Amino acid sequence: MIVGTGQSALNDTANLQRLMGRFTIKIHLKDNDVEKVVRTVVLQKREDKKADLNALIARHEGEMTRQLKATKLAAQAEDTPAYLPDFPLLPVRRRFWERVLHSVDVTGTAAQMRTQLRVVHEACRVYANAELGAVVPGDFLYDQIAHDLVSTGEMQKRFQEIIEQQKTLADGVLRSRVAALVFLINKLPREHGADLGVRAEPEHLADLLSDDLVTGSTQLRQQLPGLLGVMEQDGVLMRVDSEYRLQTTEGAA
C-alpha cells in the first residue's frame, strides 16, 4: 500500500499519526509566491555576469520605464531592484502577462504557478542565445496559450487562423506578432475599476513588441502606424476610435 499525504495530514489524521514515530526527520516547507520561485528556479543569474547586466540596465533604464506609461501596469518605484533578477523579463511585461492569464482563466489553471513557470522557462529557452540586451516581448505569451484559448472557447478559431495567416505575407512575422498582441490586449478587463488603461494603440503596441534594449523601439514606433493602416485595409484589423481589434467574420462581411 502506498499512502501519499501532505505533512499536515500526518498530524491531523489519527491513523497516520502512527507514522510520525517511524519517520522522524521533519522537512519544514515554506510558501513562496510565483515571483520568488521563478527568480530562484528559472531566472537565477551567475555572479560573474551580474555586473554586465547592471551596466546594461543602467544605460537603458529610460527605455524600460517609458513602457505603458499612464496605465496601471506602468513602471513603479519597486521595479528598480527587480530589473536584474527578472531579466530578460521586464516587470511591466510580467504584470501584463499575469493580468492576461487571469482574464482568460476560465478553468482556474492558467494563472497557476506551473503555467507561469512553464511560460517563463520557455521564454528563457528561446532567448538564451540572444545577444545581451534582448528582452522577452509581451506578445510571447500568445504562442504559449493560443491552443488552450481555442479549446476553452476564449478565442475564436478564426482569430487563430488570421494570426497564423499573417506569417505568409510581407513583414509576416511582425504582422503576426501585432495581430496576436492586439488580441491579448483586448482580452484585458474594461469594467469600471478593473480597467488597466492598456489599449491596442501604436504607442502601447510598440511598448510591448520591442525586444532589444540596445537598438530601442524608435524604428518600431515609426514603422507601426503604417503597418497598422495596411492591416486595416487588408481586413485583418478594424479601428475603433484610436485602438485596433481583430476583424470579426461579421465585420469583414
Side-chain angles (χ1 to χ4, degrees), residues 8-121:
S8 58
L10 288 174
N11 296 314
D12 300 341
T13 309
N15 281 336
L16 295 179
Q17 283 176 0
R18 301 170 190 173
L19 296 172
M20 298 293 283
R22 187 180 184 101
F23 303 104
T24 55
I25 299 175
K26 295 179 175 63
I27 307 297
H28 294 285
L29 304 177
K30 53 186 178 182
D31 291 330
N32 277 326
D33 58 12
V34 178
E35 210 168 70
K36 191 169 183 180
V37 173
V38 166
R39 286 175 179 170
T40 53
V41 175
V42 185
L43 298 174
Q44 185 78 301
K45 309 293 188 302
R46 278 170 45 185
E47 286 298 326
D48 60 324
K49 299 296 182 184
K50 288 184 178 179
D52 292 340
L53 272 175
N54 276 323
L56 175 84
I57 290 165
R59 284 197 306 272
H60 302 288
E61 191 170 358
E63 180 68 31
M64 295 186 282
T65 55
R66 74 186 288 186
Q67 296 186 359
L68 300 186
K69 269 193 171 180
T71 73
K72 292 182 180 178
L73 301 183
Q76 304 165 2
E78 53 266 31
D79 286 349
T80 303
Y83 286 139
L84 179 63
D86 274 354
F87 201 87
L89 301 181
L90 302 182
V92 168
R93 294 173 182 185
R94 280 282 299 276
R95 288 193 286 273
F96 173 70
W97 284 5
E98 287 167 12
R99 297 306 179 92
V100 170
L101 285 172
H102 278 291
S103 65
V104 300
D105 190 15
V106 291
T107 60
T109 58
Q112 286 181 351
M113 181 180 289
R114 69 169 61 88
T115 303
Q116 295 194 37
L117 277 170
R118 177 176 57 79
V119 173
V120 175
H121 182 269

Side-chain angles (χ1 to χ4, degrees), residues 137-229:
D139 62 283
F140 182 85
L141 179 66
Y142 171 80
D143 285 330
Q144 308 305 308
I145 64 173
H147 293 296
D148 293 337
L149 294 182
V150 173
S151 63
T152 58
E154 280 292 310
M155 181 183 192
Q156 294 181 29
K157 181 67 176 172
R158 170 178 159 77
F159 285 168
Q160 186 184 31
E161 291 168 354
I162 287 173
I163 293 169
E164 286 300 313
Q165 184 186 13
Q166 301 313 300
K167 295 177 181 177
T168 63
L169 306 173
D171 292 323
V173 174
L174 183 56
R175 284 178 66 123
S176 177
R177 292 180 62 204
V178 167
L181 188 55
V182 166
F183 172 79
L184 293 178
I185 290 175
N186 282 302
K187 295 305 287 184
L188 293 172
R190 293 291 183 93
E191 303 86 35
H192 181 67
D195 190 350
L196 301 172
V198 182
R199 298 289 184 264
E201 300 172 348
E203 183 72 15
H204 288 174
L205 290 170
D207 286 341
L208 292 168
L209 284 169
S210 62
D211 57 2
D212 195 324
L213 293 179
V214 177
T215 58
S217 59
T218 304
Q219 183 179 349
L220 188 60
R221 292 176 193 280
Q222 293 170 349
Q223 185 180 359
L224 266 182
L227 183 64
L228 288 167

Side-chain angles (χ1 to χ4, degrees), residues 190 199-202 228 232 238-245:
R190 293 291 183 93
R199 298 289 184 264
E201 300 172 348
L228 288 167
E232 185 182 2
M238 59 179 175
R239 188 170 180 174
V240 182
D241 296 326
S242 61
E243 57 182 310
Y244 290 88
R245 300 179 186 275

